[in-house]
Amino acid sequence: EVVLTQSPGTLSLSPGERATFSCRASQNISSAYLAWFQHKTGQAPSLLIFGVSNRASGVADRFSGSGYGTDFSVTINRLEPEDFAVYYCHQFGISPPSFGQGTKVEFK
Amino acid sequence: EAQLVQSGAEVKKPGDSLKISCQASGYSFSTYWIGWVRQMPGKGLEWMGIIYPGDSDSRYNPSFQGQVTFSVDKSINTAYLQWSGLRASDTGMYYCARPKDVGQYGAFDIWGQGTMVIVSS
């Protein structure tokens, strides 16, 4: 099983600041099969980024993804109040698919 | 608009059986895999497995193999997740989800609202 390790576990930031968090895979992952989800309390998760760097429909352009091989990251430029949530990386190129443990972006 | 609607919350006792549902609308149900994702209280997301409604082909995460069963009823565009003997450790929120693209097992872009399952004596 591919283990995805996210860092940091928690990011404490203020609106307007930049957030960057990472995901390291225990094996090489094809870029086509690496995605990110945003999960707000009380809601279902939502697809944020697919194929490492492609924003899902309706996702603001302040979100960007990058990475290759085993190291991937997401940057949120100018945090908005609605961006405070938990973010999960997800690989589905090697069975079984797996999620990282999550990075919580919280209000400072 | 593609949508997944799940059945309501359940409170069960250890050893009970349970079947929760996920009804699809707004797209061709038989064409896309349907995945199941668990979130235990205070924990992260876990990929349980996936089923292809077209022929009921199922792929289970080894961690869940033998513990749950996936099924579908194509006549009512509904997928099911069932347990034959619940344990307290099955307590959690269960989501069904549809991948963004035909033929994929992940990058879920359509999610059900979740079904909370509580198992307690």
Side-chain angles (χ1 to χ4, degrees):
Chain A
E1 177 178 341
V2 176
V3 177
L4 300 176
T5 303
Q6 293 187 236
S7 60
T10 302
L11 263 180
S12 298
L13 296 167
S14 300
E17 293 190 295
R18 172 181 294 179
T20 300
F21 43 90
S22 302
C23 174
R24 173 163 288 176
S26 59
Q27 302 177 46
N28 278 343
I29 302 297
S30 168
S31 296
Y33 303 114
L34 193 288
W36 291 87
F37 293 92
Q38 179 190 66
H39 194 190
K40 298 179 182 179
T41 302
Q43 298 183 20
S46 62
L47 181 64
L48 186 72
I49 287 172
F50 62 94
V52 173
S53 60
N54 302 288
R55 285 185 297 275
S57 176
V59 173
D61 60 7
R62 62 181 178 273
F63 291 89
S64 62
S66 64
Y68 180 80
T70 61
D71 292 298
F72 305 92
S73 63
V74 165
T75 295
I76 311 172
N77 285 311
R78 302 180 308 280
L79 277 164
E80 296 286 343
E82 62 266 27
D83 300 337
F84 291 86
V86 180
Y87 294 85
Y88 294 95
C89 59
H90 169 57
Q91 71 79 23
F92 53 103
I94 298 174
S95 286
S98 51
F99 292 93
Q101 83 279 16
T103 289
K104 182 178 183 180
V105 178
E106 65 174 21
F107 282 101
K108 187 172 182 180
Chain B
E1 176 193 4
Q3 192 175 8
L4 297 172
V5 177
Q6 297 185 231
S7 49
E10 302 275 0
V11 180
K12 293 291 187 180
K13 296 188 183 305
D16 283 353
S17 60
L18 176 64
K19 193 174 190 178
I20 64 174
S21 66
C22 168
Q23 185 168 40
S25 61
Y27 72 96
S28 176
F29 179 64
S30 294
T31 306
Y32 289 80
W33 292 82
I34 290 278
W36 290 94
V37 175
R38 181 176 79 174
Q39 184 174 36
M40 298 174 72
K43 303 296 184 182
L45 305 176
E46 299 174 89
W47 190 91
M48 299 176 68
I50 203 159
I51 184 167
Y52 187 69
D55 60 5
S56 294
D57 183 16
S58 297
R59 312 291 168 85
Y60 293 89
N61 183 327
S63 297
F64 293 90
Q65 182 87 45
Q67 309 304 311
V68 297
T69 303
F70 307 143
S71 60
V72 296
D73 183 339
K74 290 190 291 184
S75 70
I76 54 172
N77 291 350
T78 299
Y80 300 96
L81 168 62
Q82 73 178 84
W83 295 260
S84 59
L86 285 161
R87 309 180 219 183
S89 58
D90 292 317
T91 294
M93 181 70 84
Y94 292 84
Y95 296 99
C96 62
R98 192 207 78 173
K100 186 179 74 65
D101 294 324
V102 170
Q104 286 194 339
Y105 291 177
F108 301 117
D109 69 336
I110 306 295
W111 290 72
Q113 80 278 21
T115 295
M116 185 68 204
V117 174
I118 297 172
V119 184
S120 175
S121 54

